[in-house]
Amino acid sequence: MIKAVIFDLDGVIVSTDEFHYQAWKLMADQECIPFYKTINHRLRGVSRMESLTIILEKAHQSYSEEEKVKLAEFKNQAYVKSLSSLDETHILPGVLQVLSKLKKMGVKVAIGSSSKNAQFILKQIKLFDAFDAIADGHDIIHSKPAPDIFLVAATKLGVEDHACLVVEDAVAGIIAAKRAGMFAFAVGDARKSVEADYKADDIKELIEVVKNSR
Ligand code: BG6
Ligand code: MG
């Protein structure tokens, strides 16, 4: 029986991909590092510093740890600046209906995001108070595909791991959910994962999944 649903944020609740991409692109262009959308796909769900490591695979020079921290800070400043234009209109289709139905069904809801900007984003889109718990990049050391973020979310909710369903748009997030012993519901890019328990074109399909588990 599914007692709680843990939502990834970026790409599930709100589409911040383009904001991440533009901010990383600014950094990459400044450093003359080739960076394109296919590389950006690999950054889904992984932490800021791990994202940088992936981008630097194409760099023509090596960077010290101190320089890497500066590059990540530069990206984050550009990213946060661009998030000032984020509002409720950026909430992805079906999300509000799903949250409202789950609430009526007595199912707990949480955020499980690798982002350290998750709380700011939730405030921008006016959904900060819509969740029973928020687990974000500040709560963990190891980001997805490690299971840590979802285990923290389940603990904050007070729900057993095996009674949680994770909604993810990243393959790394599906792997993390399965490592956490949870059900994994894939949307978007994550539908190519072989590990997902459910794959959907429309997030609203998760209501049936939750109902059928009861
Ligand atoms: C995840 C994104 O939600 O957050 C990743 O999918 C991003 O692409 C990660 O790298 C960390 O985000 P932030 O906001 O802490 O830099
Ligand atoms: Mg995501």
Side-chain angles (χ1 to χ4, degrees):
M1 176 167 163
I2 294 166
K3 295 182 192 162
V5 178
I6 305 172
F7 295 86
D8 170 49
L9 179 64
D10 293 311
V12 170
I13 300 287
V14 60
S15 186
T16 44
D17 310 40
E18 189 61 25
F19 294 83
H20 275 295
Y21 174 71
Q22 293 300 339
W24 279 127
K25 180 85 180 128
L26 208 63
M27 185 283 293
D29 286 352
Q30 182 190 267
E31 296 298 311
C32 299
I33 301 167
F35 179 61
Y36 22 81
K37 296 250 166 150
T38 47
I39 300 177
N40 198 52
H41 282 316
R42 292 174 57 203
L43 313 184
R44 283 176 202 274
V46 301
S47 72
R48 195 180 308 162
M49 290 311 286
E50 285 167 291
S51 297
L52 178 66
T53 304
I54 293 170
I55 293 168
L56 293 185
E57 284 171 9
K58 294 255 183 286
H60 306 295
Q61 64 169 94
S62 58
Y63 292 87
S64 68
E65 283 312 308
E66 200 184 330
E67 287 167 331
K68 285 182 193 172
V69 169
K70 282 202 178 129
L71 292 179
E73 271 170 14
F74 174 86
K75 179 267 174 177
N76 192 51
Q77 276 175 16
Y79 177 60
V80 171
K81 200 173 163 196
S82 69
L83 289 179
S84 62
S85 66
L86 199 69
D87 61 21
E88 311 91 290
T89 62
H90 291 86
I91 297 173
L92 286 165
V95 168
L96 295 178
Q97 293 96 312
V98 165
L99 289 175
S100 148
K101 282 200 174 147
L102 290 175
K103 196 166 188 179
K104 281 185 194 141
M105 290 160 72
V107 176
K108 288 191 174 177
V109 289
I111 288 290
S113 167
S114 307
S115 174
K116 291 185 173 168
N117 294 301
Q119 300 207 6
F120 176 62
I121 291 169
L122 287 167
K123 283 177 190 157
Q124 287 292 97
I125 61 173
K126 313 261 187 311
L127 282 183
F128 187 72
D129 297 319
F131 296 90
D132 300 297
I134 296 169
D136 66 21
H138 294 288
D139 291 310
I140 47 153
I141 294 171
H142 305 293
S143 69
K144 303 162 189 177
D148 306 29
I149 195 71
F150 297 132
L151 295 173
V152 170
T155 303
K156 286 191 180 191
L157 287 173
V159 175
E160 311 91 301
D161 305 337
H162 62 83
C164 294
L165 172 81
V166 168
V167 187
E168 260 293 347
D169 73 311
V171 173
I174 297 291
I175 297 169
K178 294 316 295 174
R179 286 184 183 166
M182 300 177 180
F183 294 102
F185 185 95
V187 293
D189 199 52
R191 284 173 302 177
K192 65 181 180 223
S193 162
V194 288
E195 287 193 58
D197 298 296
Y198 308 97
K199 297 181 185 189
D201 295 327
D202 187 333
I203 195 170
K204 294 201 285 299
E205 292 172 37
L206 86 81
I207 296 297
E208 284 308 306
V209 171
V210 175
K211 273 187 191 160
N212 293 338
S213 79
R214 312 197 123 202

